[in-house]
mmCIF file of all heavy atoms in Angstrom:
data_model
loop_
_atom_site.group_PDB
_atom_site.id
_atom_site.type_symbol
_atom_site.label_atom_id
_atom_site.label_comp_id
_atom_site.label_asym_id
_atom_site.label_seq_id
_atom_site.Cartn_x
_atom_site.Cartn_y
_atom_site.Cartn_z
ATOM 1 N N MET A 16 -1.069 -38.355 -60.612
ATOM 2 C CA MET A 16 -1.249 -39.744 -60.172
ATOM 3 C C MET A 16 -0.409 -40.675 -61.029
ATOM 4 O O MET A 16 -0.390 -40.564 -62.245
ATOM 5 C CB MET A 16 -2.730 -40.124 -60.290
ATOM 6 C CG MET A 16 -3.068 -41.445 -59.602
ATOM 7 S SD MET A 16 -4.787 -41.926 -59.930
ATOM 8 C CE MET A 16 -4.523 -43.284 -61.044
ATOM 9 N N ALA A 17 0.284 -41.597 -60.379
ATOM 10 C CA ALA A 17 1.128 -42.530 -61.116
ATOM 11 C C ALA A 17 0.325 -43.749 -61.552
ATOM 12 O O ALA A 17 -0.639 -44.146 -60.910
ATOM 13 C CB ALA A 17 2.299 -42.975 -60.249
ATOM 14 N N TYR A 18 0.761 -44.311 -62.645
ATOM 15 C CA TYR A 18 0.168 -45.543 -63.145
ATOM 16 C C TYR A 18 1.090 -46.688 -62.763
ATOM 17 O O TYR A 18 2.299 -46.590 -62.925
ATOM 18 C CB TYR A 18 0.023 -45.479 -64.669
ATOM 19 C CG TYR A 18 -0.853 -44.349 -65.135
ATOM 20 C CD1 TYR A 18 -0.306 -43.123 -65.501
ATOM 21 C CD2 TYR A 18 -2.232 -44.509 -65.192
ATOM 22 C CE1 TYR A 18 -1.110 -42.078 -65.922
ATOM 23 C CE2 TYR A 18 -3.046 -43.470 -65.609
ATOM 24 C CZ TYR A 18 -2.482 -42.248 -65.973
ATOM 25 O OH TYR A 18 -3.277 -41.229 -66.381
ATOM 26 N N GLN A 19 0.503 -47.768 -62.259
ATOM 27 C CA GLN A 19 1.310 -48.891 -61.780
ATOM 28 C C GLN A 19 0.717 -50.214 -62.230
ATOM 29 O O GLN A 19 -0.500 -50.391 -62.233
ATOM 30 C CB GLN A 19 1.382 -48.858 -60.248
ATOM 31 C CG GLN A 19 2.211 -49.982 -59.656
ATOM 32 C CD GLN A 19 2.350 -49.852 -58.139
ATOM 33 O OE1 GLN A 19 2.289 -48.765 -57.588
ATOM 34 N NE2 GLN A 19 2.546 -50.978 -57.477
ATOM 35 N N VAL A 20 1.599 -51.134 -62.606
ATOM 36 C CA VAL A 20 1.182 -52.494 -62.931
ATOM 37 C C VAL A 20 2.116 -53.472 -62.232
ATOM 38 O O VAL A 20 3.333 -53.364 -62.341
ATOM 39 C CB VAL A 20 1.207 -52.767 -64.453
ATOM 40 C CG1 VAL A 20 0.996 -54.260 -64.734
ATOM 41 C CG2 VAL A 20 0.140 -51.952 -65.163
ATOM 42 N N ASP A 21 1.522 -54.420 -61.516
ATOM 43 C CA ASP A 21 2.254 -55.567 -60.992
ATOM 44 C C ASP A 21 1.863 -56.776 -61.821
ATOM 45 O O ASP A 21 0.683 -57.036 -62.015
ATOM 46 C CB ASP A 21 1.884 -55.838 -59.524
ATOM 47 C CG ASP A 21 2.490 -54.818 -58.584
ATOM 48 O OD1 ASP A 21 3.718 -54.695 -58.599
ATOM 49 O OD2 ASP A 21 1.731 -54.156 -57.851
ATOM 50 N N CYS A 22 2.860 -57.521 -62.289
ATOM 51 C CA CYS A 22 2.555 -58.725 -63.043
ATOM 52 C C CYS A 22 1.854 -59.731 -62.134
ATOM 53 O O CYS A 22 2.272 -59.956 -61.011
ATOM 54 C CB CYS A 22 3.820 -59.338 -63.621
ATOM 55 S SG CYS A 22 3.474 -60.773 -64.639
ATOM 56 N N SER A 23 0.774 -60.328 -62.621
ATOM 57 C CA SER A 23 -0.011 -61.274 -61.821
ATOM 58 C C SER A 23 0.420 -62.717 -62.059
ATOM 59 O O SER A 23 -0.228 -63.642 -61.584
ATOM 60 C CB SER A 23 -1.497 -61.116 -62.153
ATOM 61 O OG SER A 23 -1.704 -61.376 -63.532
ATOM 62 N N GLN A 24 1.513 -62.907 -62.789
ATOM 63 C CA GLN A 24 1.908 -64.258 -63.179
ATOM 64 C C GLN A 24 2.963 -64.852 -62.250
ATOM 65 O O GLN A 24 3.612 -65.842 -62.589
ATOM 66 C CB GLN A 24 2.453 -64.255 -64.617
ATOM 67 C CG GLN A 24 1.501 -63.661 -65.628
ATOM 68 C CD GLN A 24 0.297 -64.547 -65.888
ATOM 69 O OE1 GLN A 24 0.422 -65.754 -65.975
ATOM 70 N NE2 GLN A 24 -0.876 -63.949 -65.999
ATOM 71 N N GLY A 25 3.187 -64.250 -61.095
ATOM 72 C CA GLY A 25 4.090 -64.841 -60.111
ATOM 73 C C GLY A 25 5.550 -64.497 -60.306
ATOM 74 O O GLY A 25 6.419 -65.193 -59.809
ATOM 75 N N ASP A 26 5.865 -63.417 -61.018
ATOM 76 C CA ASP A 26 7.247 -62.967 -61.091
ATOM 77 C C ASP A 26 7.368 -61.578 -60.465
ATOM 78 O O ASP A 26 6.414 -61.063 -59.893
ATOM 79 C CB ASP A 26 7.773 -62.998 -62.533
ATOM 80 C CG ASP A 26 6.919 -62.175 -63.457
ATOM 81 O OD1 ASP A 26 6.564 -61.042 -63.098
ATOM 82 O OD2 ASP A 26 6.599 -62.667 -64.553
ATOM 83 N N ASP A 27 8.549 -61.000 -60.557
ATOM 84 C CA ASP A 27 8.814 -59.761 -59.838
ATOM 85 C C ASP A 27 8.606 -58.506 -60.674
ATOM 86 O O ASP A 27 8.987 -57.425 -60.258
ATOM 87 C CB ASP A 27 10.262 -59.762 -59.330
ATOM 88 C CG ASP A 27 10.476 -60.800 -58.248
ATOM 89 O OD1 ASP A 27 9.492 -61.136 -57.559
ATOM 90 O OD2 ASP A 27 11.622 -61.271 -58.104
ATOM 91 N N PHE A 28 7.996 -58.642 -61.855
ATOM 92 C CA PHE A 28 7.836 -57.484 -62.721
ATOM 93 C C PHE A 28 6.893 -56.460 -62.103
ATOM 94 O O PHE A 28 5.797 -56.775 -61.667
ATOM 95 C CB PHE A 28 7.283 -57.920 -64.081
ATOM 96 C CG PHE A 28 7.003 -56.756 -65.004
ATOM 97 C CD1 PHE A 28 8.023 -56.155 -65.701
ATOM 98 C CD2 PHE A 28 5.711 -56.277 -65.159
ATOM 99 C CE1 PHE A 28 7.763 -55.078 -66.547
ATOM 100 C CE2 PHE A 28 5.440 -55.205 -65.997
ATOM 101 C CZ PHE A 28 6.466 -54.615 -66.696
ATOM 102 N N MET A 29 7.358 -55.203 -62.063
ATOM 103 C CA MET A 29 6.517 -54.099 -61.627
ATOM 104 C C MET A 29 6.959 -52.854 -62.370
ATOM 105 O O MET A 29 8.140 -52.604 -62.523
ATOM 106 C CB MET A 29 6.636 -53.891 -60.116
ATOM 107 C CG MET A 29 5.566 -52.992 -59.516
ATOM 108 S SD MET A 29 5.964 -51.237 -59.556
ATOM 109 C CE MET A 29 7.038 -51.127 -58.114
ATOM 110 N N ILE A 30 5.984 -52.095 -62.849
ATOM 111 C CA ILE A 30 6.297 -50.837 -63.528
ATOM 112 C C ILE A 30 5.415 -49.743 -62.937
ATOM 113 O O ILE A 30 4.237 -49.950 -62.668
ATOM 114 C CB ILE A 30 6.082 -50.941 -65.064
ATOM 115 C CG1 ILE A 30 6.262 -49.599 -65.763
ATOM 116 C CG2 ILE A 30 4.722 -51.515 -65.408
ATOM 117 C CD1 ILE A 30 7.666 -49.204 -66.027
ATOM 118 N N LYS A 31 6.014 -48.581 -62.717
ATOM 119 C CA LYS A 31 5.274 -47.444 -62.175
ATOM 120 C C LYS A 31 5.776 -46.193 -62.879
ATOM 121 O O LYS A 31 6.984 -45.966 -62.951
ATOM 122 C CB LYS A 31 5.495 -47.330 -60.672
ATOM 123 C CG LYS A 31 4.665 -46.266 -59.988
ATOM 124 C CD LYS A 31 4.900 -46.332 -58.479
ATOM 125 C CE LYS A 31 3.979 -45.359 -57.743
ATOM 126 N NZ LYS A 31 4.189 -45.433 -56.279
ATOM 127 N N SER A 32 4.864 -45.403 -63.414
ATOM 128 C CA SER A 32 5.247 -44.199 -64.134
ATOM 129 C C SER A 32 4.085 -43.225 -64.148
ATOM 130 O O SER A 32 2.927 -43.611 -64.010
ATOM 131 C CB SER A 32 5.647 -44.559 -65.572
ATOM 132 O OG SER A 32 5.884 -43.386 -66.330
ATOM 133 N N ASP A 33 4.395 -41.957 -64.353
ATOM 134 C CA ASP A 33 3.354 -40.953 -64.544
ATOM 135 C C ASP A 33 2.823 -40.959 -65.967
ATOM 136 O O ASP A 33 1.841 -40.299 -66.274
ATOM 137 C CB ASP A 33 3.897 -39.560 -64.231
ATOM 138 C CG ASP A 33 4.171 -39.386 -62.743
ATOM 139 O OD1 ASP A 33 3.455 -40.004 -61.932
ATOM 140 O OD2 ASP A 33 5.093 -38.628 -62.406
ATOM 141 N N ASP A 34 3.504 -41.702 -66.837
ATOM 142 C CA ASP A 34 3.155 -41.739 -68.258
ATOM 143 C C ASP A 34 2.412 -43.048 -68.556
ATOM 144 O O ASP A 34 3.011 -44.120 -68.573
ATOM 145 C CB ASP A 34 4.437 -41.659 -69.085
ATOM 146 C CG ASP A 34 4.156 -41.604 -70.582
ATOM 147 O OD1 ASP A 34 3.063 -42.012 -71.020
ATOM 148 O OD2 ASP A 34 5.064 -41.170 -71.322
ATOM 149 N N GLU A 35 1.101 -42.950 -68.771
ATOM 150 C CA GLU A 35 0.298 -44.158 -68.978
ATOM 151 C C GLU A 35 0.773 -44.956 -70.189
ATOM 152 O O GLU A 35 0.843 -46.188 -70.157
ATOM 153 C CB GLU A 35 -1.182 -43.780 -69.168
ATOM 154 C CG GLU A 35 -2.082 -45.007 -69.318
ATOM 155 C CD GLU A 35 -3.535 -44.627 -69.567
ATOM 156 O OE1 GLU A 35 -3.783 -43.653 -70.299
ATOM 157 O OE2 GLU A 35 -4.415 -45.316 -69.030
ATOM 158 N N GLN A 36 1.112 -44.249 -71.272
ATOM 159 C CA GLN A 36 1.538 -44.959 -72.481
ATOM 160 C C GLN A 36 2.849 -45.708 -72.255
ATOM 161 O O GLN A 36 3.040 -46.816 -72.773
ATOM 162 C CB GLN A 36 1.672 -43.968 -73.644
ATOM 163 C CG GLN A 36 1.838 -44.655 -74.999
ATOM 164 C CD GLN A 36 0.646 -45.560 -75.345
ATOM 165 O OE1 GLN A 36 -0.506 -45.225 -75.073
ATOM 166 N NE2 GLN A 36 0.929 -46.720 -75.931
ATOM 167 N N GLU A 37 3.733 -45.133 -71.460
ATOM 168 C CA GLU A 37 4.991 -45.809 -71.140
ATOM 169 C C GLU A 37 4.726 -47.101 -70.369
ATOM 170 O O GLU A 37 5.334 -48.140 -70.644
ATOM 171 C CB GLU A 37 5.882 -44.874 -70.310
ATOM 172 C CG GLU A 37 7.233 -45.485 -69.978
ATOM 173 C CD GLU A 37 8.076 -44.591 -69.059
ATOM 174 O OE1 GLU A 37 7.570 -43.565 -68.586
ATOM 175 O OE2 GLU A 37 9.238 -44.957 -68.821
ATOM 176 N N VAL A 38 3.816 -47.043 -69.402
ATOM 177 C CA VAL A 38 3.460 -48.240 -68.633
ATOM 178 C C VAL A 38 2.895 -49.308 -69.559
ATOM 179 O O VAL A 38 3.275 -50.484 -69.488
ATOM 180 C CB VAL A 38 2.442 -47.891 -67.527
ATOM 181 C CG1 VAL A 38 1.904 -49.149 -66.856
ATOM 182 C CG2 VAL A 38 3.094 -46.974 -66.489
ATOM 183 N N ILE A 39 1.997 -48.914 -70.443
ATOM 184 C CA ILE A 39 1.387 -49.862 -71.384
ATOM 185 C C ILE A 39 2.448 -50.537 -72.242
ATOM 186 O O ILE A 39 2.441 -51.759 -72.421
ATOM 187 C CB ILE A 39 0.332 -49.139 -72.248
ATOM 188 C CG1 ILE A 39 -0.892 -48.794 -71.396
ATOM 189 C CG2 ILE A 39 -0.070 -50.002 -73.448
ATOM 190 C CD1 ILE A 39 -1.875 -47.863 -72.088
ATOM 191 N N GLU A 40 3.371 -49.754 -72.763
ATOM 192 C CA GLU A 40 4.412 -50.332 -73.626
ATOM 193 C C GLU A 40 5.281 -51.330 -72.854
ATOM 194 O O GLU A 40 5.638 -52.384 -73.376
ATOM 195 C CB GLU A 40 5.280 -49.210 -74.211
ATOM 196 C CG GLU A 40 4.558 -48.318 -75.199
ATOM 197 C CD GLU A 40 3.979 -49.099 -76.384
ATOM 198 O OE1 GLU A 40 4.617 -50.070 -76.835
ATOM 199 O OE2 GLU A 40 2.885 -48.746 -76.837
ATOM 200 N N HIS A 41 5.635 -50.999 -71.603
ATOM 201 C CA HIS A 41 6.465 -51.901 -70.804
ATOM 202 C C HIS A 41 5.711 -53.187 -70.476
ATOM 203 O O HIS A 41 6.289 -54.272 -70.483
ATOM 204 C CB HIS A 41 6.920 -51.212 -69.515
ATOM 205 C CG HIS A 41 8.143 -50.368 -69.682
ATOM 206 N ND1 HIS A 41 8.084 -49.046 -70.064
ATOM 207 C CD2 HIS A 41 9.454 -50.661 -69.530
ATOM 208 C CE1 HIS A 41 9.322 -48.565 -70.132
ATOM 209 N NE2 HIS A 41 10.166 -49.523 -69.823
ATOM 210 N N VAL A 42 4.434 -53.058 -70.166
ATOM 211 C CA VAL A 42 3.636 -54.245 -69.840
ATOM 212 C C VAL A 42 3.523 -55.160 -71.062
ATOM 213 O O VAL A 42 3.669 -56.387 -70.954
ATOM 214 C CB VAL A 42 2.237 -53.824 -69.343
ATOM 215 C CG1 VAL A 42 1.287 -55.020 -69.295
ATOM 216 C CG2 VAL A 42 2.347 -53.192 -67.961
ATOM 217 N N LYS A 43 3.279 -54.564 -72.225
ATOM 218 C CA LYS A 43 3.170 -55.362 -73.444
ATOM 219 C C LYS A 43 4.487 -56.076 -73.747
ATOM 220 O O LYS A 43 4.504 -57.256 -74.124
ATOM 221 C CB LYS A 43 2.781 -54.462 -74.624
ATOM 222 C CG LYS A 43 1.345 -53.996 -74.557
ATOM 223 C CD LYS A 43 1.043 -52.935 -75.592
ATOM 224 C CE LYS A 43 1.084 -53.493 -76.999
ATOM 225 N NZ LYS A 43 0.709 -52.466 -77.999
ATOM 226 N N GLU A 44 5.599 -55.372 -73.580
ATOM 227 C CA GLU A 44 6.918 -55.957 -73.834
ATOM 228 C C GLU A 44 7.195 -57.101 -72.859
ATOM 229 O O GLU A 44 7.674 -58.173 -73.246
ATOM 230 C CB GLU A 44 7.972 -54.858 -73.688
ATOM 231 C CG GLU A 44 9.367 -55.276 -74.109
ATOM 232 C CD GLU A 44 10.329 -54.096 -74.029
ATOM 233 O OE1 GLU A 44 10.059 -53.045 -74.649
ATOM 234 O OE2 GLU A 44 11.356 -54.222 -73.336
ATOM 235 N N HIS A 45 6.884 -56.882 -71.578
ATOM 236 C CA HIS A 45 7.108 -57.920 -70.576
ATOM 237 C C HIS A 45 6.246 -59.153 -70.863
ATOM 238 O O HIS A 45 6.732 -60.286 -70.798
ATOM 239 C CB HIS A 45 6.778 -57.368 -69.188
ATOM 240 C CG HIS A 45 6.771 -58.421 -68.120
ATOM 241 N ND1 HIS A 45 7.909 -58.940 -67.569
ATOM 242 C CD2 HIS A 45 5.738 -59.072 -67.525
ATOM 243 C CE1 HIS A 45 7.579 -59.864 -66.671
ATOM 244 N NE2 HIS A 45 6.274 -59.965 -66.626
ATOM 245 N N ALA A 46 4.993 -58.938 -71.175
ATOM 246 C CA ALA A 46 4.079 -60.060 -71.428
ATOM 247 C C ALA A 46 4.571 -60.896 -72.606
ATOM 248 O O ALA A 46 4.517 -62.130 -72.582
ATOM 249 C CB ALA A 46 2.672 -59.535 -71.699
ATOM 250 N N LYS A 47 5.070 -60.207 -73.625
ATOM 251 C CA LYS A 47 5.534 -60.918 -74.816
ATOM 252 C C LYS A 47 6.820 -61.685 -74.540
ATOM 253 O O LYS A 47 6.959 -62.855 -74.906
ATOM 254 C CB LYS A 47 5.743 -59.920 -75.956
ATOM 255 C CG LYS A 47 6.080 -60.587 -77.274
ATOM 256 C CD LYS A 47 6.078 -59.549 -78.395
ATOM 257 C CE LYS A 47 6.352 -60.236 -79.732
ATOM 258 N NZ LYS A 47 6.356 -59.269 -80.853
ATOM 259 N N GLU A 48 7.769 -61.030 -73.854
ATOM 260 C CA GLU A 48 9.073 -61.650 -73.630
ATOM 261 C C GLU A 48 9.013 -62.782 -72.609
ATOM 262 O O GLU A 48 9.650 -63.818 -72.779
ATOM 263 C CB GLU A 48 10.076 -60.595 -73.141
ATOM 264 C CG GLU A 48 10.530 -59.655 -74.236
ATOM 265 C CD GLU A 48 11.658 -58.728 -73.766
ATOM 266 O OE1 GLU A 48 11.998 -58.773 -72.563
ATOM 267 O OE2 GLU A 48 12.169 -57.977 -74.596
ATOM 268 N N LYS A 49 8.249 -62.573 -71.530
ATOM 269 C CA LYS A 49 8.278 -63.514 -70.411
ATOM 270 C C LYS A 49 7.132 -64.523 -70.450
ATOM 271 O O LYS A 49 7.240 -65.603 -69.892
ATOM 272 C CB LYS A 49 8.236 -62.754 -69.073
ATOM 273 C CG LYS A 49 9.399 -61.812 -68.855
ATOM 274 C CD LYS A 49 10.722 -62.557 -68.728
ATOM 275 C CE LYS A 49 11.850 -61.578 -68.417
ATOM 276 N NZ LYS A 49 13.157 -62.263 -68.389
ATOM 277 N N HIS A 50 6.037 -64.144 -71.065
ATOM 278 C CA HIS A 50 4.842 -64.997 -70.987
ATOM 279 C C HIS A 50 4.303 -65.379 -72.363
ATOM 280 O O HIS A 50 3.274 -66.037 -72.453
ATOM 281 C CB HIS A 50 3.756 -64.281 -70.172
ATOM 282 C CG HIS A 50 4.219 -63.870 -68.808
ATOM 283 N ND1 HIS A 50 4.643 -64.760 -67.851
ATOM 284 C CD2 HIS A 50 4.361 -62.642 -68.246
ATOM 285 C CE1 HIS A 50 5.016 -64.091 -66.757
ATOM 286 N NE2 HIS A 50 4.862 -62.811 -66.974
ATOM 287 N N ASP A 51 4.989 -64.932 -73.408
ATOM 288 C CA ASP A 51 4.565 -65.260 -74.770
ATOM 289 C C ASP A 51 3.116 -64.857 -75.004
ATOM 290 O O ASP A 51 2.346 -65.581 -75.629
ATOM 291 C CB ASP A 51 4.775 -66.765 -75.036
ATOM 292 C CG ASP A 51 4.900 -67.072 -76.521
ATOM 293 O OD1 ASP A 51 5.292 -66.158 -77.277
ATOM 294 O OD2 ASP A 51 4.605 -68.210 -76.919
ATOM 295 N N MET A 52 2.747 -63.705 -74.439
ATOM 296 C CA MET A 52 1.387 -63.189 -74.565
ATOM 297 C C MET A 52 1.401 -61.903 -75.389
ATOM 298 O O MET A 52 2.189 -61.002 -75.121
ATOM 299 C CB MET A 52 0.785 -62.864 -73.186
ATOM 300 C CG MET A 52 0.415 -64.082 -72.355
ATOM 301 S SD MET A 52 0.070 -63.611 -70.623
ATOM 302 C CE MET A 52 -1.220 -62.381 -70.858
ATOM 303 N N GLU A 53 0.512 -61.822 -76.370
ATOM 304 C CA GLU A 53 0.362 -60.599 -77.158
ATOM 305 C C GLU A 53 -0.808 -59.801 -76.587
ATOM 306 O O GLU A 53 -1.968 -60.149 -76.768
ATOM 307 C CB GLU A 53 0.083 -60.943 -78.621
ATOM 308 C CG GLU A 53 1.253 -61.600 -79.334
ATOM 309 C CD GLU A 53 2.272 -60.587 -79.843
ATOM 310 O OE1 GLU A 53 2.063 -59.363 -79.674
ATOM 311 O OE2 GLU A 53 3.285 -61.027 -80.425
ATOM 312 N N LEU A 54 -0.492 -58.718 -75.881
ATOM 313 C CA LEU A 54 -1.538 -57.886 -75.304
ATOM 314 C C LEU A 54 -1.839 -56.703 -76.212
ATOM 315 O O LEU A 54 -0.934 -56.117 -76.796
ATOM 316 C CB LEU A 54 -1.105 -57.344 -73.936
ATOM 317 C CG LEU A 54 -0.840 -58.341 -72.813
ATOM 318 C CD1 LEU A 54 -0.472 -57.584 -71.541
ATOM 319 C CD2 LEU A 54 -2.047 -59.218 -72.565
ATOM 320 N N SER A 55 -3.110 -56.354 -76.283
ATOM 321 C CA SER A 55 -3.474 -55.099 -76.937
ATOM 322 C C SER A 55 -3.248 -53.954 -75.951
ATOM 323 O O SER A 55 -3.075 -54.174 -74.747
ATOM 324 C CB SER A 55 -4.940 -55.127 -77.359
ATOM 325 O OG SER A 55 -5.772 -55.140 -76.214
ATOM 326 N N ASP A 56 -3.260 -52.727 -76.443
ATOM 327 C CA ASP A 56 -3.150 -51.575 -75.548
ATOM 328 C C ASP A 56 -4.257 -51.599 -74.500
ATOM 329 O O ASP A 56 -4.031 -51.301 -73.331
ATOM 330 C CB ASP A 56 -3.231 -50.264 -76.346
ATOM 331 C CG ASP A 56 -1.913 -49.936 -77.047
ATOM 332 O OD1 ASP A 56 -1.056 -50.840 -77.167
ATOM 333 O OD2 ASP A 56 -1.752 -48.784 -77.471
ATOM 334 N N ASP A 57 -5.479 -51.960 -74.927
ATOM 335 C CA ASP A 57 -6.608 -51.983 -73.996
ATOM 336 C C ASP A 57 -6.412 -53.027 -72.905
ATOM 337 O O ASP A 57 -6.717 -52.783 -71.732
ATOM 338 C CB ASP A 57 -7.917 -52.265 -74.751
ATOM 339 C CG ASP A 57 -8.409 -51.036 -75.500
ATOM 340 O OD1 ASP A 57 -7.940 -49.914 -75.192
ATOM 341 O OD2 ASP A 57 -9.258 -51.194 -76.383
ATOM 342 N N GLU A 58 -5.904 -54.193 -73.282
ATOM 343 C CA GLU A 58 -5.663 -55.246 -72.287
ATOM 344 C C GLU A 58 -4.591 -54.820 -71.287
ATOM 345 O O GLU A 58 -4.709 -55.076 -70.087
ATOM 346 C CB GLU A 58 -5.252 -56.542 -72.994
ATOM 347 C CG GLU A 58 -6.414 -57.221 -73.698
ATOM 348 C CD GLU A 58 -5.977 -58.374 -74.591
ATOM 349 O OE1 GLU A 58 -4.854 -58.326 -75.154
ATOM 350 O OE2 GLU A 58 -6.762 -59.308 -74.732
ATOM 351 N N ALA A 59 -3.547 -54.190 -71.789
ATOM 352 C CA ALA A 59 -2.493 -53.706 -70.900
ATOM 353 C C ALA A 59 -3.032 -52.607 -69.987
ATOM 354 O O ALA A 59 -2.713 -52.561 -68.797
ATOM 355 C CB ALA A 59 -1.313 -53.183 -71.714
ATOM 356 N N ARG A 60 -3.881 -51.743 -70.543
ATOM 357 C CA ARG A 60 -4.442 -50.646 -69.747
ATOM 358 C C ARG A 60 -5.310 -51.176 -68.604
ATOM 359 O O ARG A 60 -5.347 -50.606 -67.515
ATOM 360 C CB ARG A 60 -5.258 -49.719 -70.652
ATOM 361 C CG ARG A 60 -5.734 -48.447 -69.971
ATOM 362 C CD ARG A 60 -6.450 -47.521 -70.931
ATOM 363 N NE ARG A 60 -5.560 -46.916 -71.900
ATOM 364 C CZ ARG A 60 -5.615 -47.117 -73.211
ATOM 365 N NH1 ARG A 60 -6.558 -47.909 -73.724
ATOM 366 N NH2 ARG A 60 -4.769 -46.545 -74.035
ATOM 367 N N GLU A 61 -6.001 -52.278 -68.849
ATOM 368 C CA GLU A 61 -6.871 -52.852 -67.822
ATOM 369 C C GLU A 61 -6.085 -53.368 -66.624
ATOM 370 O O GLU A 61 -6.637 -53.554 -65.539
ATOM 371 C CB GLU A 61 -7.708 -54.004 -68.415
ATOM 372 C CG GLU A 61 -8.831 -53.509 -69.301
ATOM 373 C CD GLU A 61 -9.576 -54.660 -69.974
ATOM 374 O OE1 GLU A 61 -9.234 -55.820 -69.689
ATOM 375 O OE2 GLU A 61 -10.488 -54.376 -70.755
ATOM 376 N N MET A 62 -4.785 -53.616 -66.812
ATOM 377 C CA MET A 62 -3.962 -54.120 -65.707
ATOM 378 C C MET A 62 -3.452 -52.994 -64.818
ATOM 379 O O MET A 62 -2.893 -53.255 -63.756
ATOM 380 C CB MET A 62 -2.766 -54.897 -66.279
ATOM 381 C CG MET A 62 -3.178 -56.156 -67.034
ATOM 382 S SD MET A 62 -1.784 -56.905 -67.888
ATOM 383 C CE MET A 62 -0.754 -57.419 -66.498
ATOM 384 N N ILE A 63 -3.622 -51.761 -65.233
ATOM 385 C CA ILE A 63 -3.121 -50.628 -64.445
ATOM 386 C C ILE A 63 -3.949 -50.457 -63.189
ATOM 387 O O ILE A 63 -5.172 -50.507 -63.230
ATOM 388 C CB ILE A 63 -3.146 -49.338 -65.292
ATOM 389 C CG1 ILE A 63 -2.140 -49.433 -66.433
ATOM 390 C CG2 ILE A 63 -2.858 -48.119 -64.409
ATOM 391 C CD1 ILE A 63 -2.185 -48.261 -67.398
ATOM 392 N N GLN A 64 -3.231 -50.262 -62.097
ATOM 393 C CA GLN A 64 -3.879 -50.109 -60.789
ATOM 394 C C GLN A 64 -3.939 -48.645 -60.391
ATOM 395 O O GLN A 64 -3.085 -47.881 -60.739
ATOM 396 C CB GLN A 64 -3.109 -50.894 -59.729
ATOM 397 C CG GLN A 64 -3.124 -52.390 -60.027
ATOM 398 C CD GLN A 64 -1.963 -53.109 -59.343
ATOM 399 O OE1 GLN A 64 -1.127 -52.507 -58.703
ATOM 400 N NE2 GLN A 64 -1.926 -54.411 -59.519
HETATM 401 ZN ZN1 LIG B 119 5.372 -61.424 -65.589
#
């Protein structure tokens, strides 16, 4: 099963991977760069669909 996150902030960011940790790292990086948000691993994991 793949892990997927769509950014809910109205941009086109989407990440999909079989590697949950990879998805988490990409989400954290995107949140920091684009939204100035510091997410924990748990917060990023909660966004996975
Ligand atoms: Zn975004």
Side-chain angles (χ1 to χ4, degrees):
M16 191 186 108
Y18 300 94
Q19 180 175 333
V20 170
D21 286 302
C22 183
S23 60
Q24 305 289 319
D26 57 46
D27 292 333
F28 176 80
M29 194 273 279
I30 174 81
K31 186 176 185 179
S32 174
D33 291 329
D34 184 339
E35 183 183 38
Q36 191 60 39
E37 182 184 6
V38 171
I39 289 170
E40 292 302 324
H41 276 88
V42 167
K43 288 171 68 177
E44 188 176 305
H45 171 77
K47 186 172 183 180
E48 286 187 355
K49 299 294 184 184
H50 305 299
D51 203 25
M52 287 167 56
E53 293 277 358
L54 297 182
S55 67
D56 282 16
D57 284 343
E58 287 170 329
R60 188 176 290 116
E61 285 175 3
M62 295 172 66
I63 293 175
Q64 297 158 357

